[in-house]
Amino acid sequence: ARLHQRRRSGGLLALATAMSFTPGPNTALSTAMAANRGLRPAMRFVCSVPVGWAALLLLCAGGVGAVVVAVPALRWGTKAVGIGYLLWLAWRLSQSARLGEADAARMDIGFWQGALLQFVNIKAWLLALTTVAGWVAGHSDSLQRLAVVLPVMVFFAFASNLTYAAPGALLRHWLAQGARLLGFNRPMALVRVATAAWMALA
């Protein structure tokens, strides 16, 4: 039983690492915000991600996530809003050539905006559903399992976004010279477009 528990714990950590640290809407936003506005403003978004994701995980544990994925209108509606928002952010970011233009490009995403963004992130929904199905649902001690899984996943959500934001903040002063920021923002915008395309096909 202990060996089985260790394997399940290892599987949870592997899933959390793979899904949290691979590029996605949250990590791309964390990097871009830190590069354009600095680490302190970006920290609001970095902290908002685990809060929004925790609420999402709790909803999935309560059965709401399965309904969203199972009902085509809800699933496609969630996708459409998320994809549209990412494409809009990508366009605005691609036009930002100077640090002073970051606010005009809507790179100042507030705490609650960042938390709500998780609810239109299909990758977040899929991760929450996978986590609940694999480690929480169907067990007599589901509440105890949720009490363990939730802080682990929240930690990974915070750590991954901070890990992506830190290099962006370190590059901030270097990017301020010449056209370097535009050269940075346009590939970051393309990452968002690619993420939106992945969300459309997922």
Side-chain angles (χ1 to χ4, degrees):
R2 288 184 178 179
L3 179 60
H4 180 67
Q5 183 64 32
R6 288 178 182 176
R7 287 178 178 176
R8 292 186 67 83
S9 299
L12 177 63
L13 293 177
L15 175 69
T17 301
M19 294 296 286
S20 299
F21 283 90
T22 51
N26 293 324
T27 53
L29 277 171
S30 295
T31 305
M33 287 183 64
N36 282 270
R37 306 198 71 245
L39 185 59
R40 180 175 293 181
M43 285 303 296
R44 284 180 296 184
F45 179 75
V46 170
C47 293
S48 74
V49 172
V51 171
W53 202 88
L56 189 62
L57 183 64
L58 291 173
L59 284 177
C60 288
V64 176
V67 174
V68 171
V69 174
V71 178
L74 291 175
R75 184 175 70 251
W76 284 104
T78 300
K79 276 189 175 185
V81 173
I83 291 168
Y85 187 60
L86 280 176
L87 292 177
W88 180 75
L89 285 174
W91 168 251
R92 298 305 296 264
L93 182 61
S94 69
Q95 306 304 303
S96 181
R98 293 186 176 87
L99 294 178
E101 296 173 356
D103 286 334
R106 295 294 190 271
M107 289 308 300
D108 185 19
I109 299 177
F111 181 88
W112 294 114
Q113 286 176 291
L116 290 173
L117 181 60
Q118 308 316 304
F119 290 86
V120 293
N121 180 354
I122 199 65
K123 179 182 177 183
W125 279 107
L126 294 174
L127 176 57
L129 285 170
T130 301
T131 303
V132 170
W135 285 272
V136 178
H139 297 277
S140 59
D141 59 343
S142 58
L143 289 179
Q144 291 90 331
R145 286 171 174 264
L146 182 61
V148 173
V149 168
L150 183 60
V152 170
M153 300 304 289
V154 164
F155 169 77
F156 273 86
F158 174 78
S160 61
N161 283 279
L162 180 59
T163 299
Y164 275 81
L170 291 173
L171 290 171
R172 178 171 164 78
H173 294 295
W174 182 81
L175 290 171
Q177 303 175 34
R180 289 173 179 173
L181 186 66
L182 188 62
F184 173 83
N185 281 340
R186 287 186 171 172
M188 291 300 296
L190 287 176
V191 170
R192 294 186 191 182
V193 172
T195 303
W198 176 85
M199 287 173 62
L201 297 173

